[in-house]
């Protein structure tokens, strides 16, 4: 891979160890300008470490990292001036109001007063926070704190935004509003790199890096990842998902079974053949079910199908 005008972030062979643990192993990927790029994987997969290296907070052991064309290892201060990094625990001052927190971060980046006021008004309006400008940050809900953190991160108009699981623990309505802000930023040409623990959020990204044990296993769009799904995915609608999973798991041709909503998603080698066999097995065990049908896999299904075999072998 080589950096060009359309590249916002470029990792090549990034590795980072903590003692005997390989937090990131030979990770390589490219983030294009103006896209939302997602990092997804279980705890310990390396998501936070990659974001810390990208932000210049942490140095890699090996490999190269370019952010907005700047080498992070040799010029971390240049990189910090071009990006915004919002870690999992963003440093809001709870004894300051919403406005005072924004003003503090604007002054850190030497944003002129008029620009600060204009940007703050626009961002607070987009997030539904305008009426809370005089409220202490410590009195905000979790979702409101995250939206304030994002506003503080964006007040200096960065080209690239790095977000580390920004919606973890946030209510569904606030999560949706948060993503509306991200879509607005993308429309303005801002590049966003986001790690998330939510598979439904991964569906919202333009492209994804699926991480497992510190390595990038796949890096494609959600649509392209779906094309990699071997076999087929069956949905079983049942009020007894656990009992159905016990019946299904381990059967011939069943690669995995995942409880989803009001039933199961079952990854099989052949939809027609296994669907008929599974139906017979459920009836024989008196497990109630409504229907068995082939469905399009989501990112969680893909993650289980593509990476679960590696996890079992580890």
């Amino acid at each position: 891979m080589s950096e060009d005008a359309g590249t916002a972030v470029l990792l090549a062979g990034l590795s980072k160890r903590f003692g005997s643990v390989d937090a990131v192993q030979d990770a390589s990927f490219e983030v294009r300008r103006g896209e939302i790029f997602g990092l997804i994987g279980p705890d310990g997969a390396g998501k936070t470490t990659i974001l810390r290296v990208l932000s210049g907070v942490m140095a890699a052991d090996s490999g190269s990292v370019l952010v907005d064309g700047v080498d992070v290892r040799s010029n971390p201060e240049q990189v910090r001036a071009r990006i915004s990094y919002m870690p999992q625990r963003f440093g809001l001052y709870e004894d300051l109001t919403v406005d005072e927190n924004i003003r503090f971060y604007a002054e850190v980046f030497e944003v002129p007063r008029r620009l600060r006021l204009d940007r703050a008004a626009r961002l607070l309006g987009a997030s539904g926070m305008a009426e809370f400008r005089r409220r202490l940050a410590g009195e905000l809900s979790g979702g409101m704190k995250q939206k304030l953190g994002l506003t503080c991160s964006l007040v200096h108009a960065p080209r690239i935004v790095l977000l580390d699981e920004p919606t973890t623990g946030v209510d569904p309505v606030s999560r949706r509003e948060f993503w509306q802000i991200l879509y607005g930023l993308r429309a303005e040409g801002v590049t966003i790199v986001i790690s998330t623990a939510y598979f439904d959020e991964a569906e919202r990204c333009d492209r994804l890096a699926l991480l497992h044990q510190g390595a990038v296993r796949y890096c494609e769009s959600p649509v392209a990842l779906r094309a990699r799904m071997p076999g087929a995915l069956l949905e079983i609608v049942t009020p007894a998902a656990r009992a159905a999973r016990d019946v299904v798991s381990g059967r011939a041709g069943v690669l995995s079974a995942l409880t989803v909503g009001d039933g199961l998603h079952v990854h099989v080698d052949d939809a027609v053949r296994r669907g008929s066999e599974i139906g017979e097995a459920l009836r024989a065990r008196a497990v109630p079910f409504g229907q068995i049908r082939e469905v399009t896999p989501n990112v969680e299904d893909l993650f289980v199908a593509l990476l679960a075999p590696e996890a079992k072998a580890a």
Side-chain angles (χ1 to χ4, degrees):
M1 293 184 293
S2 60
E3 197 271 339
D4 59 40
T7 301
V9 174
L10 186 67
L11 270 71
L14 171 66
S15 294
K16 179 67 180 180
R17 290 178 62 88
F18 297 104
S20 60
V21 177
D22 289 311
V24 180
Q25 304 179 56
D26 195 29
S28 299
F29 60 77
E30 175 187 11
V31 181
R32 300 162 189 157
R33 294 191 186 278
E35 75 172 341
I36 300 178
F37 186 91
L39 303 175
I40 189 163
D43 290 343
K47 304 186 297 295
T48 294
T49 300
I50 288 174
L51 289 175
R52 287 177 176 172
V53 171
L54 289 178
S55 67
V57 171
M58 178 184 293
D61 294 332
S62 61
S64 65
V65 183
L66 297 178
V67 175
D68 203 25
V70 178
D71 188 307
V72 176
R73 176 174 289 184
S74 58
N75 298 290
E77 293 303 322
Q78 277 191 41
V79 169
R80 293 187 191 114
R82 298 168 185 236
I83 69 166
S84 178
Y85 171 48
M86 184 176 167
Q88 291 177 2
R89 297 178 182 272
F90 188 76
L92 292 175
Y93 293 91
E94 300 205 343
D95 56 344
L96 297 181
T97 66
V98 168
D99 264 344
E100 288 168 342
N101 268 283
I102 294 170
R103 184 168 70 247
F104 172 80
Y105 282 98
E107 290 175 352
V108 168
F109 287 97
E110 300 180 342
V111 179
R113 181 176 183 275
R114 183 179 295 278
L115 281 178
R116 168 176 60 85
L117 293 175
D118 288 345
R119 289 172 184 166
R122 179 169 56 84
L123 290 165
L124 291 173
S127 63
M129 292 276 290
E131 63 184 286
F132 304 105
R133 302 182 72 138
R134 291 188 174 87
R135 182 173 295 187
L136 293 175
E139 297 176 356
L140 300 175
S141 68
M144 293 169 69
K145 284 181 179 178
Q146 291 299 81
K147 286 187 283 188
L148 174 56
L150 183 61
T151 298
C152 292
S153 299
L154 297 172
V155 72
H156 66 294
R159 301 179 185 179
I160 299 168
V161 179
L162 311 175
L163 305 173
D164 193 2
E165 298 194 9
T167 60
T168 297
V170 174
D171 66 89
V173 173
S174 292
R175 283 176 59 197
R176 184 169 61 249
E177 292 173 343
F178 197 94
W179 273 91
Q180 287 173 347
I181 298 172
L182 299 188
Y183 289 145
L185 292 172
R186 180 181 62 180
E188 296 174 4
V190 176
T191 303
I192 300 165
V193 182
I194 180 171
S195 71
T196 179
Y198 297 111
F199 286 99
D200 63 315
E201 288 192 342
E203 301 274 0
R204 301 172 183 258
C205 297
D206 297 306
R207 289 190 303 130
L208 295 168
L210 269 62
L211 303 173
H212 181 59
Q213 296 181 344
V216 177
R217 302 303 192 195
Y218 300 92
C219 183
E220 296 175 68
S221 69
V223 172
L225 284 169
R226 289 190 190 99
R228 284 183 173 272
M229 183 82 170
L233 188 71
L234 298 177
E235 179 184 68
I236 303 175
V237 178
T238 171
R242 181 175 296 181
R245 187 178 62 188
D246 290 342
V247 171
V248 168
S249 297
R251 292 188 59 83
V254 173
L255 307 176
S256 66
L258 180 69
T259 303
V260 177
D262 59 352
L264 288 181
H265 278 187
V266 184
H267 182 204
V268 297
D269 57 359
D270 183 280
V272 175
R273 178 182 178 186
R274 303 309 177 188
S276 176
E277 293 175 350
I278 288 170
E280 292 177 3
L282 291 174
R283 283 188 286 270
R285 295 281 293 274
V287 176
F289 67 96
Q291 63 176 328
I292 300 176
R293 63 188 182 107
E294 186 173 359
V295 295
T296 301
N298 57 35
V299 171
E300 185 171 11
D301 297 316
L302 289 164
F303 189 87
V304 171
L306 298 176
L307 298 185
E310 297 182 26
K312 292 178 180 178

